[in-house]
Amino acid sequence: TGKKLKFCGKNFISNDGTESFEILEDIAYLFKEELSEEALQEQKIFDSLGIINLSYFRESLYESVFSEVAKFIDFTQNIKTAEMGGGEGYWGRYLKSKNPESEVYLVDISSEFLKRAPRNLLKVCANMTEEIFEEGSMDLISFWVSIHHLKTYELKRAIQNSIKALKPGGFLLFFEPNNDFWVRKMVYKR
């Protein structure tokens, strides 16, 4: 939405009251427009997957990535972070464990994955290419094994909207397990 949103009863609403999104089963649904046929197909596939509580990565990998990101972000402060296309939110869970007071958003197109994520994460069902967070409001936005699902034009849009949402000094993290993938790096917004 690009506007500051807050929880209000059973809705996620903009501060100016012009936008309201329903919260069902602890998930805020931010779809403003119909998804493309391709996105609907991907949503259907992910919603039907029987994989539950399975992380491909060892805790040591999360620790290693976290120690690199912590060089730029003070995780002892209450930060706002989002895991984009995060499925059940394993990276988000790890971040929340490091500072339980931080706001950790989990964004995914699949409501079924979001339903399986822990309740202490703020779950948002949305297309990660959309403008979701208020400009300059986020400390860290992570794409953890998710951007390979995007076409080039969608990737560009997702990155642009994420950079826009970062605070000055915010951090944009990409992790893809393929060494040849160009965005297997971290980007620091100055």
Side-chain angles (χ1 to χ4, degrees):
T1 74
K3 296 182 180 180
K4 187 169 186 166
L5 299 173
K6 61 184 174 185
F7 287 102
C8 184
K10 296 220 177 237
N11 290 305
F12 208 33
I13 62 169
S14 61
N15 279 347
D16 63 8
T18 60
E19 295 182 291
S20 179
F21 302 94
E22 189 173 21
I23 299 172
L24 298 169
E25 298 179 6
D26 293 325
I27 301 170
Y29 290 84
L30 298 191
F31 295 116
K32 292 190 293 187
E33 54 194 51
E34 285 294 317
L35 295 172
S36 68
E37 190 62 39
E38 191 171 28
L40 284 170
Q41 182 62 23
E42 186 161 323
Q43 181 184 45
K44 182 178 175 181
I45 289 168
F46 280 110
D47 281 350
S48 68
L49 287 177
I51 301 170
I52 298 174
N53 292 322
L54 173 68
S55 176
Y56 300 108
F57 306 107
R58 297 181 190 275
E59 187 84 4
S60 60
L61 176 64
Y62 295 128
E63 291 169 3
S64 174
V65 173
F66 179 81
S67 69
E68 290 300 315
V69 176
K71 293 175 183 176
F72 300 93
I73 296 178
D74 181 2
F75 284 95
T76 64
Q77 302 297 312
N78 293 342
I79 65 164
K80 285 180 71 173
T81 182
E83 181 180 2
M84 307 299 283
E88 295 178 23
Y90 290 97
W91 174 241
R93 293 173 197 211
Y94 184 83
L95 293 174
K96 190 71 170 174
S97 75
K98 291 299 186 183
N99 185 338
E101 300 304 314
S102 291
E103 287 181 46
V104 179
Y105 291 85
L106 175 60
V107 178
D108 201 275
I109 198 169
S110 171
S111 60
E112 293 303 312
F113 275 170
L114 292 169
K115 287 175 187 175
R116 297 189 297 248
R119 295 189 73 155
N120 65 344
L121 301 180
L122 301 167
K123 298 177 262 185
V124 179
C125 192
N127 185 335
M128 66 181 161
T129 65
E130 297 298 321
E131 195 172 341
I132 298 169
F133 301 104
E134 180 183 20
E135 186 172 339
S137 65
M138 303 300 287
D139 296 290
L140 169 66
I141 296 178
S142 306
F143 290 84
W144 190 274
V145 192
S146 59
I147 59 175
H148 61 272
H149 294 285
L150 303 177
K151 293 183 174 183
T152 303
Y153 73 93
E154 293 171 322
L155 175 61
K156 182 178 178 182
R157 188 170 161 191
I159 291 171
Q160 287 172 335
N161 285 330
S162 294
I163 289 172
K164 187 176 173 183
L166 288 173
K167 294 177 180 177
F171 202 80
L172 184 59
L173 170 70
F174 299 94
F175 182 84
E176 289 286 334
N178 177 342
N179 286 331
D180 297 326
F181 200 64
W182 71 270
V183 290
R184 188 178 182 183
K185 58 184 174 182
M186 297 177 242
V187 179
Y188 181 63
K189 182 179 178 184
R190 296 188 188 271

